[in-house]
Amino acid sequence: MHFHDLRHTGNTLAASTGASTRELMARMGHSTARAALIYQHASAERDRLIADAVSGLVDRGRKGKDRKLKGHAGDTAD
């Protein structure tokens, strides 16, 4: 095991918690997003969290459909 392996594991774990590209860049000391993007691997657990969050937004939107909508959503035809 090498130091770089620990660094990679730590940053992969940080990315899996939802750390942003900017946060990963700060942790690694990089000035560009290119290296940080390596650590933002898609995972089944993260995909499920994202899908659940999107589903929740859709459900809330459907429940609010009976209310008068304001802004752009109110201008959208059903």
Side-chain angles (χ1 to χ4, degrees), residues 1-74:
M1 182 170 275
H2 300 92
F3 176 76
H4 185 79
D5 297 330
L6 294 173
R7 179 179 165 92
H8 180 77
T9 300
N11 284 308
T12 299
L13 291 172
S16 73
T17 68
S20 69
T21 302
R22 179 67 62 193
E23 291 166 328
L24 292 172
M25 288 169 56
R27 288 176 52 89
M28 295 183 293
H30 291 141
S31 59
T32 65
R34 185 171 183 237
L37 292 174
I38 294 168
Y39 298 99
Q40 292 181 322
H41 305 292
S43 69
E45 181 179 344
R46 184 72 178 143
D47 285 343
R48 173 55 35 210
L49 290 171
I50 293 168
D52 289 345
V54 169
S55 181
L57 290 172
V58 170
D59 289 344
R60 283 197 302 267
R62 286 182 179 158
K63 289 177 185 174
K65 196 173 186 179
D66 295 333
R67 298 178 303 191
K68 183 174 177 166
L69 298 175
K70 298 179 182 177
H72 177 72

